[in-house]
Amino acid sequence: MINKIRTQLVQNAASILRSPIDLLPHSVQKNALLQVLQRVFHEALQDGEFEFLQGKWLKIEICDLGLRWFISFENERLIVADNVKHEDVSFSGDLNELILIAGRKEDPDTLFFQRRLLIEGDTELGLEVKNLMDSVDLQQLPKAGQILLQHLADFVHKGMQTPNTQNEVVNAYSN
């Protein structure tokens, strides 16, 4: 019963969250994203690891929520824009896939080859972005953020498993 509820919540998360997110002004969304990025990538920013993004634009899109942001690096700072004329590389996927990547439950390469993560544009720039994301130390997040992200990723991961997969896992542990 609990597995069915979890599965329903995971499958319907985007439709549940879409309305409340739509009510948030884009400026609030943009500022929240910028603060999270600055916190998560604090060390990388200090080490100049974002210079490859200087004068280039990365589009991040959460397709099932209808959210998109454009990120660049200028004057030694990350910037987030509402819209740009041309993005150099684009990462797009659904909410659950992006949560799995953030929580390290799925590898971006695996999701890319399964067509659950779409990377378009400048391949070299996309690889640099992916490598930078892979290098993030989740220990940089506040403890509460780490715990929340891990629980959320676990919840999504379990909710995305089919009932047969869940039974196989339970059977494997009971043998």
Side-chain angles (χ1 to χ4, degrees):
M1 176 73 162
I2 291 177
N3 288 337
K4 283 184 178 183
I5 293 170
R6 177 183 16 236
T7 300
Q8 288 297 312
L9 282 171
V10 169
Q11 289 175 350
N12 296 305
S15 60
I16 294 167
L17 294 173
R18 191 173 299 118
S19 292
I21 289 174
D22 285 345
L23 294 174
L24 280 176
H26 200 71
S27 61
V28 172
Q29 295 174 24
K30 188 170 84 171
N31 288 334
L33 175 65
L34 186 57
Q35 288 179 12
V36 168
L37 290 173
Q38 288 172 337
R39 179 111 191 195
V40 169
F41 292 107
H42 178 74
E43 193 172 299
L45 285 163
Q46 285 184 328
D47 294 343
E49 294 179 30
F50 273 89
E51 289 179 3
F52 69 90
L53 203 53
Q54 183 88 30
K56 302 195 187 262
W57 287 98
L58 161 66
K59 178 175 90 172
I60 302 288
E61 184 171 13
I62 305 175
C63 300
D64 54 353
L65 287 179
L67 294 174
R68 76 182 49 84
W69 301 283
F70 298 89
I71 302 165
S72 188
F73 185 75
E74 192 174 287
N75 299 324
E76 299 184 24
R77 293 184 6 212
L78 282 176
I79 55 173
V80 177
D82 296 332
N83 209 349
V84 297
K85 290 181 182 178
H86 169 76
E87 70 266 6
D88 296 281
V89 67
S90 170
F91 280 67
S92 56
D94 287 339
L95 175 65
N96 289 330
E97 276 69 31
L98 298 176
I99 289 171
L100 292 173
I101 290 170
R104 304 277 162 76
K105 294 292 179 187
E106 286 281 356
D107 178 60
D109 292 330
T110 302
L111 295 180
F112 173 77
F113 288 114
Q114 293 174 351
R115 299 181 187 259
R116 293 166 53 199
L117 174 66
L118 190 62
I119 304 172
E120 298 176 303
D122 183 333
T123 308
E124 185 177 326
L125 183 61
L127 185 58
E128 289 186 71
V129 170
K130 186 193 89 57
N131 289 340
L132 184 62
M133 288 178 2
D134 286 343
S135 73
V136 170
D137 181 7
L138 295 180
Q139 303 301 318
Q140 299 279 339
L141 293 174
K143 192 67 171 170
Q146 292 174 38
I147 292 168
L148 177 65
L149 180 58
Q150 287 305 312
H151 285 295
L152 183 59
D154 285 339
F155 187 85
V156 169
H157 187 257
K158 289 175 184 171
M160 290 180 76
Q161 293 178 347
T162 64
N164 289 341
T165 306
Q166 291 172 350
N167 290 338
E168 289 170 16
V169 170
V170 169
N171 292 337
Y173 282 111
S174 40
N175 289 333

